[in-house]
Amino acid sequence: MYAISHAATALVLKRRYPTAPLWPLLISVQAVELLWVLFTYLGIEHIDVVDGKLTLGFLPYSHSVGSGIAVALIGAAIVKARGGDRRFAIAVALGVFSHIVLDIIQHEPDIYLLPIARGPRLGLGLDGVPLANLVIELAYGVACWWLYRGGKGLLIGIVTFNLLDAPMMFRTARAVALLGAHPALLTTVVLVQIVASWILVARLAPTQTTAGYGLRTAD
């Protein structure tokens, strides 16, 4: 899924684990994508254009069930090593693995079980139906906002970022050709989206949600 949907997942985790700091949760839900950005820049993973359609092509090292579990365990271990409690560690691990779960829903079948280029691949292909993709990701973001009990500013931000993703969902042939010719462009766009979604949520979320959950305002 797109960056804002992953960032919205951090809101649900924050609601469920209120003592976990928000920034580590935001980073955790994008840890897998950050690996993809790094591996794509290095040429270890790559995107492809097949039959005029842009595909993520080869990404078994960052996006596989096995690598998701491994990164989740590493994230939890880092939290524990730095003095975090068990609930904080669980929240980070769930954040990391949530990325794989959401991408299985959205991606074409390109997510392997293990970080090797063989075996069955998972993916429900939501990305191949742009209108459904937009509606479902928008609904998911709003649902996360509602569960978090956020304010109007946060809701407007989530909706706006989802709508800004629409051109990437409804890719024209010209856009596909451009991204195929310059794969680093797509990687950079994804990185910018990740950082922008972090800033949006971190800026608008801390003053939201209910009293008794470690934040400022009440229902």
Side-chain angles (χ1 to χ4, degrees):
M1 285 192 172
Y2 286 79
I4 190 60
S5 294
H6 292 297
T9 304
L11 296 173
V12 178
L13 291 169
K14 179 64 178 174
R15 176 73 180 180
R16 178 64 180 82
Y17 300 96
T19 59
L22 182 59
W23 265 106
L25 297 180
L26 286 168
I27 293 170
S28 74
V29 298
Q30 290 289 15
V32 167
E33 200 79 335
L34 292 174
L35 284 177
W36 177 81
V37 168
L38 175 62
F39 292 162
T40 304
Y41 277 140
L42 294 175
I44 298 171
E45 297 183 338
H46 57 81
I47 65 172
D48 294 313
V49 176
V50 179
D51 297 329
K53 295 181 180 180
L54 187 72
T55 73
L56 294 179
F58 185 78
L59 66 169
Y61 307 122
S62 62
H63 285 68
S64 72
V65 175
S67 60
I69 292 172
V71 176
L73 293 175
I74 292 170
I78 291 172
V79 169
K80 294 290 288 183
R82 295 182 62 84
D85 61 22
R86 179 173 174 272
R87 290 174 63 80
F88 183 9
I90 290 173
V92 166
L94 290 174
V96 172
F97 197 70
S98 72
H99 192 105
I100 296 295
V101 174
L102 292 179
D103 278 5
I104 287 174
I105 296 171
Q106 196 251 0
H107 281 211
E108 62 182 339
D110 58 14
I111 297 179
Y112 290 86
L113 292 178
L114 298 173
I116 55 176
R118 62 177 60 187
R121 291 182 288 180
L122 307 176
L124 299 181
L126 181 62
D127 186 55
V129 189
L131 182 58
N133 191 11
L134 177 60
V135 170
I136 290 174
E137 293 212 32
L138 181 57
Y140 178 78
V142 172
C144 290
W145 166 84
W146 181 80
L147 289 170
Y148 180 72
R149 300 187 184 181
K152 291 181 180 179
L154 182 59
L155 175 61
I156 291 171
I158 289 173
V159 171
T160 300
F161 271 44
N162 269 282
L163 294 177
L164 289 174
D165 285 331
M168 293 294 293
M169 298 179 186
F170 294 87
R171 292 183 289 267
T172 64
R174 183 176 181 180
V176 169
L178 176 63
L179 294 172
H182 304 281
L185 178 59
L186 176 61
T187 309
T188 302
V189 169
V190 170
L191 181 58
V192 169
Q193 288 179 327
I194 290 171
V195 175
S197 67
W198 280 349
I199 294 171
L200 172 80
V201 173
R203 185 174 180 84
L204 297 179
T207 58
Q208 326 279 348
T209 202
T210 57
Y213 278 79
L215 300 177
R216 286 168 48 188
T217 59
D219 287 336

